[in-house]
Structures are given as structure tokens and as C-alpha cells.
Amino acid sequence: MSLRLLPILVATAALSNAAVDAQAVRALPRAATDAYAGASTFSIPPLAFRAQYWFSAENLPGNLPIHQLGLRLSNGGQAPALTRDIEIVVADSTLTAGTISSSFAANLGASPTTFFARRSVNFTAVSPITDPNLAGAWFPGDAPFVHGSGGFVVEFRAGQANNATVVPNDSFVVPATGSRTLHLQGRASCGGALRGSYSGGSVTWAASGLPAGVPVTLNLGVENVSFGGLDLPVDLAGIGLPGCHLGIASIASANLVSDSAGQASLSLPFTLGASTSLTLSAQAVHGRVANPQQPSDFATTNVVNSALGSVGLCNALFATPDNAPTAQQGPFNDNRSIVILVR
């Protein structure tokens, strides 16, 4: 059996819609799905504020119904019980990174939707969270919002909290200096470990911890949450691969062989755009033996989500108080935002 036949087995398992436990919820930006973004740039202050977040079209598929929005805390983050007024407004957006305004109203456009009408919310205390798919708080929409096409804007207005504690957000930042990329590793699977990097005009995905001399297929895709109505990741226990999952919808693949140290890598030339960003997801499927013949002879690595480029993926604005018309911070000259969860 070749690695190329594994997708057929995966399709068989998919018929049972066997998503893994605690399956990924979609994150904005998409590169932060199932993986902490890791920056500590933003936090939720106790004072009244207005914050707005813009996400480019690549982060959400068209015609997606959004039922709830969630705030992800930093890895290990916690929050006290508190009460405060909250309002959430959303809008589809035709903006680009270069046309985002410091005016909150201008970024919402002519037809914003009140997703969560202003009301007092009693937040329960949150113990330290280390699962990126768990939100510190979920906000169910008063009605589902169907994202049509293009970009997406989320605006939060929060009144003064009755607790002075600052709550840390998981923040997504791709600065305009350095490599101008970010490579986030998702949950471990049953095989080796996959990592991403960028240097010298090439993006590299490197797998380690593999058996020596086994076939490896590196799959690349632009979707790691759902595909054709199927929830990702798919649990492969049903085809004889307990503890394994398939986490991306592959659109291209490369066939490799691990070396004597149990490593395999692929480098592709990639020119970073001056005003655009691209997110690619990668996962490796590899043999446990040199000539795999049956499902149990295979294993999968974690998924890596690579955000390539420092402009054009997301942006943020912030001001106090909650009725401020213009931003005191942002828009920024690079990709930066809190991570928002969507389901």
C-alpha cells in the first residue's frame, strides 16, 4: 500500500464523520486554529473600551453561518468572575490592509449587524486554560450571522468592569521585521513532529522523530477546520490508526523519504508580499515501516499553520471609552490582532 492510497481510507473513515474529541473550532486569524498564537500584545482592561478587529477574506470561507464568537485567553490564562456591559457588532468588509481607517464607523461600513445586543453579562471565573479550542467566554449571537464574502470586522464595546483585574488575550502578531512569518504547531498526532520556518526566500517544513528510511507524504492545504461539510481533524482510529488524525484538506503534496536520522523536509521558494499575506497548512503522513502495507503501518504528524507575510491578514483598533469615535491605537503597519474563536 502506498501513501497515495491513504486518502481513500481516510474518505472511508470520514463517512462516519469521526471528528476527534475537542475538535478544532475556527480561529481568526485562521493560522491560529488549534494552536496558540503565543503573543501577549493585547489584554482585556477593566476600563470601558471600544476595540475592533479586521480579518481578510482568506480567514473565512464564503456563506459561513456564525452562531457564536469566543475570546481566547493566553496559554494558561485565567480570569476572575466579573460583570460588565458588552455589545458586539459585525460586518462583512471590502477593506484591505491599506484602506483600514482609524474611524470605527468607517470600517463597519453602511450595513453593520448587531450580533450581540448590549447587555450586562455575568462572567464566571475561568481557571487556567491550556487548550486553544476553549474560549475564556463565548458570546452566542442574538441571531446567526451569515458571512457572505470578503473580509470580516468584529467590534466589541465593553463597559467598566466591576473587577480591576486585567485579562490576557492570546494575541496574533507577525511583525514587519525579522522573518515576517509565523509558524504555529497544532495538536500532536501519533507520528513525528512537524515544524515550519522561513529563511532566504524559502519556506521549509521539517519533520523529525520518524523511523529511518520510510516514505513520507507532506500535504499542503488552505483549510484545516472543515472540508465539504466534514469536520476536521478526522479521527483515523476507525481505519486502524488509533491516536492519529488527519487535520487538513490537502490540495498539493510532495513525496519524500526520511533520512537515517528520521528526518524529512521540503523547502519551497516563496516571495513575501508587500501588502498581502497567505496562510498555508501542512501535515505529514509517514510510514512506520519502510514498505507500509496496511493502515496500521502509517502515522501522521501534527499540523503546522504558516502565516506568510506581515501585512494583509488582520489588524486591530482600540480606544477608551466605549463610545470613542476614533482609535487611539491602530490600525497597525503589520498583522496583529487578538485571536477570536468562531463556531
Side-chain angles (χ1 to χ4, degrees):
M1 180 184 293
S2 72
L3 289 180
R4 293 183 179 182
L5 294 180
L6 185 60
I8 298 175
L9 297 176
V10 170
T12 302
L15 292 177
S16 65
N17 200 29
V20 301
D21 291 340
Q23 72 184 63
V25 294
R26 183 178 298 276
L28 301 174
R30 187 182 72 81
T33 295
D34 206 25
Y36 281 104
S40 56
T41 304
F42 298 102
S43 59
I44 304 171
L47 70 165
F49 69 88
R50 187 175 187 178
Q52 192 177 82
Y53 305 96
W54 168 84
F55 303 97
S56 68
E58 82 138 54
N59 290 288
L60 282 175
N63 300 316
L64 178 74
I66 297 174
H67 300 274
Q68 298 184 46
L69 295 172
L71 295 179
R72 182 194 283 173
L73 304 186
S74 61
N75 191 357
Q78 57 187 320
L82 57 86
T83 300
R84 70 192 311 174
D85 285 355
I86 298 291
E87 179 184 31
I88 304 174
V89 176
V90 300
D92 286 339
S93 174
T94 59
L95 296 174
T96 65
T99 59
I100 300 171
S101 168
S102 60
S103 165
F104 291 102
N107 296 332
L108 288 172
S111 303
T113 297
T114 299
F115 181 78
F116 188 89
R118 189 177 184 97
R119 55 188 176 267
S120 180
V121 179
N122 296 316
F123 296 94
T124 59
V126 178
S127 300
I129 296 176
T130 57
D131 183 343
N133 295 309
L134 297 179
W138 283 105
F139 299 92
D142 298 327
F145 175 81
V146 179
H147 166 63
S149 61
F152 185 58
V153 175
V154 183
E155 179 178 288
F156 293 87
R157 292 197 191 196
Q160 180 79 30
N162 69 336
N163 187 304
T165 303
V166 174
V167 178
N169 287 117
D170 183 35
S171 304
F172 182 97
V173 179
V174 186
T177 58
S179 73
R180 298 174 54 212
T181 63
L182 185 65
H183 307 273
L184 304 178
Q185 293 176 249
R187 75 185 70 192
S189 189
C190 60
L194 186 67
R195 290 175 172 82
S197 62
Y198 183 85
S199 179
S202 292
V203 57
T204 298
W205 293 276
S208 60
L210 315 179
V214 297
V216 181
T217 293
L218 182 69
N219 294 315
L220 299 175
V222 293
E223 180 56 61
N224 63 333
V225 182
S226 63
F227 178 70
L230 171 68
D231 291 330
L232 297 174
V234 174
D235 188 345
L236 301 182
I239 59 170
L241 293 171
C244 302
H245 66 266
L246 192 74
I248 69 172
S250 175
I251 58 174
S253 62
N255 293 317
L256 312 168
V257 176
S258 63
D259 62 19
S260 59
Q263 300 174 346
S265 65
L266 174 71
S267 294
L268 296 176
F270 189 90
T271 300
L272 299 177
S275 59
T276 59
S277 297
L278 174 68
T279 301
L280 285 177
S281 294
Q283 185 179 30
V285 180
H286 64 85
R288 300 181 192 267
V289 296
N291 184 25
Q293 296 294 314
Q294 55 190 355
S296 60
D297 291 337
F298 296 95
T300 57
T301 69
N302 57 286
V303 171
V304 169
N305 299 321
S306 297
L308 306 173
S310 59
V311 179
L313 194 65
C314 60
N315 215 310
L317 292 84
F318 177 86
T320 57
D322 56 340
N323 61 352
T326 57
Q328 296 157 355
Q329 300 174 32
F332 298 92
N333 63 356
D334 53 19
N335 288 322
R336 60 181 61 213
S337 172
I338 66 169
V339 175
I340 297 176
L341 302 181
V342 176
R343 63 184 184 187

